[in-house]
Structures are given as structure tokens and as C-alpha cells.
Amino acid sequence: MAKKSTYTVADYCEVLQHYAPLSLQENYDNSGLIIGTKTAIVTNVLLTLDCTEAVLQEAIDKNCQLIIAHHPIIFSGLKKINQTHYVQRIVTTAIKNDVAIYACHTNLDNAFLGVNYKIAQTLGLQNISILSPKPHQLIKLYTYVPQPYLAKVHDALFSAGAGHIGNYKDCSFCTTGLGTYTPTQNAKPFKGKRNERTTAEEIKLEVLLTAHQQSNVLAALKKSHPYEEVAYELVLLENSQQEIGSGVIAEMPKSMSQKQLLLLLKLEMKANGIRFTTSKNKKFKKIALCGGSGSFLIKSAIAQGADAFITADVKYHDFFEADNRIAIIDIGHYESEHHTPQLFYDILSKKFPTFALHLSKINTNPIKYF
């Protein structure tokens, strides 16, 4: 993003959606701009895990025009706005004070460098990878290019994000072949004459892209390609995208006992109400984790040989799934995600270094421990 003297809500949305595209959110979620207009000028931003009434008042006091929260303030439609519920009061107060509210929730959970990666970094884990990769996110693009334009099309597709596989970029495959076509009367052919069949030597170019890149990649293809009508095919792949999905699995720098792991979680995650199971494992090295409600990943953690699975909101009966094979550790929902505002700061400060980003000072955890 080019440097500007003023920035709008849309500018902040663009940066966050580049990092965590909205298409990655789960179907029950409500990430994105929830309250406000994209054209509003922003000089101060408040970063928070939850948008509560206290957080909104903090934003007003700090003259913040935008609140960026992990959890959406609205999950489903509001049928009434009569001030009897805290969500209704927040919506009304935010609109009255021209405060926009943006949520970056499960799309940030599913992004590789998102919430779960941040937790793993905080705990000092290494060799981090996605625990449960998200299916149906990869597309194979086939297109046909005359040799003199191959480099131009290549560069355009790669610049739009295509051709990225794990730690490698600019990946493609090319084969040479012959294409035929007959330009009709209204055509403006790159090569050949109207109403005459033409045979042209072309390069078949193949690249991978993710589903959320499709519109940008196709726009780049059509802009860089010399043909009036660009021939291409998109094929949805069964391959899992290894950099998109739920939870992560990683390794401790060195093995530790369960007590040492629990003490580490208490210190680094500020977890003072940990619930856990024991297991046959005496040393803990391979760790799976998922910020927020991650019980749906217990079986994946076991299948991948994790010594422990760290998450939150585990129900009583879900703990039985451990079956002495793995330690299930519930550190609390707030505790598992309270580093998210710092993650927002890390993302945005690279693009908006001279504008005021404020980390909320409000502890939004509604749960107290005795």
C-alpha cells in the first residue's frame, strides 16, 4: 500500500483481508466490517479481543474512529434495537459516535500466520504446521500463451499470488503444443485471419492458486495476455492447502514434564484456571493447539501423535476422548486468545507506522476464578 497522508476504514480492511481473507472464515461466522462506512477517515484505532461497552467507551475516550476486534459483536441478525441487551447498546452508541467496528475472527484462526501461530510462537514452539488443513482451497489454472508473451504472463500471475507452494514461490509447469482456432467475422485475432482456421504454437502454462486469489489472478491473466479471448481452465483440487486450516501442531525445543508445561501455560498465557487430563506420556515434546473452542480437533491431535492438545471450552465428556493417549489441556477461551490484539498490532504497524494504534487496556474476560 502506497503511503498516504490520510487513511480510511477501507485501508485498514484491505490490509487485514490481505493477511486473513474473509473467504477463510467459517460459515457460521460474521467477520468483516460490522458497523461503519469504509470511506470514514481514521486517525486512531483500538485493538481488542472483544468489543464490550467498556471497550467502546475506551475507544471514544481515545478518539478512535475504528475498533478492530477478534470476536464479532454481532453473530446473527438483530431483530430489535431497544437498548435492553448489551449488543444493542454497543451498536447504537457506536453509530452515534461514528465508531466503526471490524471483526477478524475465524478467518484469522484459519490463516497460517494467524491466532494459533501466535500462540505457538508465544510458547516457543518450533516446526509449526497446520493441524487440520482446510480442504477445497486449491485451484489449478491452465492457460495457453504464445511463447513471446510467456514471461509477461508468468510475472503477472506470480505477482497476483499464484504459484506459491509451501516455502516455494513462482512455481509453474509448461508444455509446448499446437492450438487451433478460427476467428469469426467480428474477431480481432492476435494471429491469423478472419474465417480462416489458424494453427499456432502455444505454451500450456499450469499454476496453483488458492480460492480467495481467483479473481485477482484471473484479472492479471486477462490483462497480461495478448489474446482477445483468453482460453483457460480452473480445476478445484482435492489436495489440502497446507497453509490454511484449523489449529497447529509443533514441537517444544526440548521435552518437558506435564507440570513444566502447565507452569509454562500459566506464565505465558496467563492461565490461572487450567483444566486438564493426564496421560501415559511422561515427557511432552509434540504439542497441538487451537485458540478458542477447539474440541473438534481432539481426534486430529491424537492421530498426529501429539503428546498434548491445548485449547479451550472443552466439555466434560470430551475430556474422556483423551483415553490416556494424550493430555487435553483447557486453558480458557480468553486466555488462549488474549494475544490476538498484539497480532493485530504486528500486522498493522508495518503498514501504518505513523498512525496511532492502541492496545485496549480492558480485560474483557467475563469469567472470574475463585
Side-chain angles (χ1 to χ4, degrees):
M1 178 183 294
K3 291 184 179 180
K4 302 191 295 185
S5 58
T6 60
Y7 291 96
T8 64
V9 170
D11 292 321
Y12 285 88
C13 293
E14 179 184 345
V15 171
L16 289 171
Q17 288 165 200
H18 176 76
Y19 195 91
L22 292 178
S23 60
L24 299 187
Q25 69 179 305
E26 301 297 331
N27 56 17
Y28 63 81
D29 201 8
N30 189 33
S31 293
L33 184 61
I34 295 175
I35 297 173
T37 59
K38 290 186 175 182
T39 56
I41 300 297
V42 175
T43 57
N44 292 280
V45 182
L46 186 65
L47 310 174
T48 182
L49 181 63
D50 307 284
C51 186
T52 64
E53 289 182 272
V55 168
L56 177 55
Q57 187 58 54
E58 182 184 19
I60 294 169
D61 293 342
K62 293 179 182 291
N63 192 33
C64 294
Q65 299 81 27
L66 174 63
I67 294 173
I68 296 173
H70 184 45
H71 298 131
I73 185 60
I74 301 173
F75 265 106
S76 56
L78 292 176
K79 294 185 176 180
K80 296 179 181 179
I81 303 180
N82 56 20
Q83 312 302 294
T84 59
H85 190 270
Y86 79 95
V87 173
Q88 300 169 7
R89 295 192 293 271
I90 289 171
V91 170
T92 302
T93 304
I95 293 173
K96 283 183 177 179
N97 289 273
D98 294 322
V99 177
I101 300 176
Y102 184 93
C104 195
H105 189 212
T106 55
N107 51 321
L108 191 61
D109 291 335
N110 285 327
F112 178 59
L113 298 178
V115 173
N116 297 307
Y117 192 91
K118 181 68 175 177
I119 298 171
Q121 277 190 318
T122 301
L123 297 176
L125 302 184
Q126 302 171 343
N127 303 320
I128 305 168
S129 61
I130 294 292
L131 176 61
S132 179
K134 199 174 182 67
H136 306 131
Q137 293 294 311
L138 284 176
I139 295 173
K140 175 67 75 70
L141 167 66
Y142 301 92
T143 190
Y144 308 87
V145 188
Q147 176 66 54
Y149 284 82
L150 180 61
K152 181 179 180 181
V153 174
H154 253 145
D155 291 344
L157 296 180
F158 294 153
S159 294
H164 189 95
I165 304 175
N167 293 324
Y168 297 84
K169 63 179 183 177
D170 301 348
C171 301
S172 70
F173 188 78
C174 297
T175 51
T176 302
L178 296 177
T180 64
Y181 53 88
T182 300
T184 60
Q185 187 60 38
N186 295 322
K188 298 177 182 178
F190 173 76
K191 180 181 179 182
K193 298 180 180 180
R194 295 188 181 104
N195 300 315
E196 291 184 9
R197 181 179 296 172
T198 301
T199 299
E201 186 175 276
E202 296 175 315
I203 306 297
K204 182 180 181 181
L205 171 60
E206 306 175 29
V207 291
L208 281 177
L209 59 136
T210 54
H212 66 266
Q213 295 171 330
Q214 180 175 320
S215 59
N216 287 341
V217 170
L218 289 182
L221 171 63
K222 293 173 182 178
K223 185 176 181 180
S224 61
H225 203 289
Y227 288 0
E228 180 182 18
E229 297 289 347
V230 181
Y232 66 89
E233 297 126 45
L234 295 171
V235 179
L236 185 63
L237 303 181
E238 289 295 327
N239 307 53
S240 294
Q241 164 58 290
Q242 299 300 313
E243 295 185 351
I244 296 173
S246 303
V248 299
I249 187 162
E251 294 180 343
M252 302 296 299
K254 61 180 181 178
S255 298
M256 59 175 58
S257 67
Q258 184 167 12
K259 182 177 180 180
Q260 288 173 319
L261 177 58
L262 294 173
L263 288 172
L264 176 67
L265 292 169
K266 186 173 183 179
L267 175 66
E268 296 295 344
M269 304 304 294
K270 298 180 173 59
N272 295 312
I274 300 176
R275 301 185 300 150
F276 63 94
T277 66
T278 57
S279 78
K280 63 183 178 182
N281 302 316
K282 300 303 180 183
K283 292 294 183 179
F284 290 76
K285 176 76 171 178
K286 197 172 186 179
I287 308 296
L289 62 86
C290 178
S293 304
S295 295
F296 67 100
L297 291 171
I298 292 174
K299 291 182 180 179
S300 295
I302 294 172
Q304 295 194 42
D307 299 315
F309 178 52
I310 302 163
T311 189
D313 300 344
V314 180
K315 295 180 180 179
Y316 174 80
H317 291 287
D318 289 333
F319 279 110
F320 284 103
E321 293 294 329
D323 195 23
N324 205 37
R325 296 169 293 177
I326 191 172
I328 297 176
I329 303 174
D330 184 330
I331 63 173
H333 199 119
Y334 174 86
E335 289 79 5
S336 73
E337 296 182 331
H338 77 274
H339 286 294
T340 306
Q342 182 62 51
L343 176 58
F344 289 144
Y345 185 91
D346 295 342
I347 296 168
L348 295 170
S349 60
K350 295 175 183 177
K351 299 293 183 179
F352 308 97
T354 61
F355 283 74
L357 299 170
H358 304 275
L359 292 169
S360 175
K361 299 184 182 302
I362 305 295
N363 183 328
T364 60
N365 192 357
I367 301 170
K368 307 302 176 186
Y369 302 98
F370 181 72

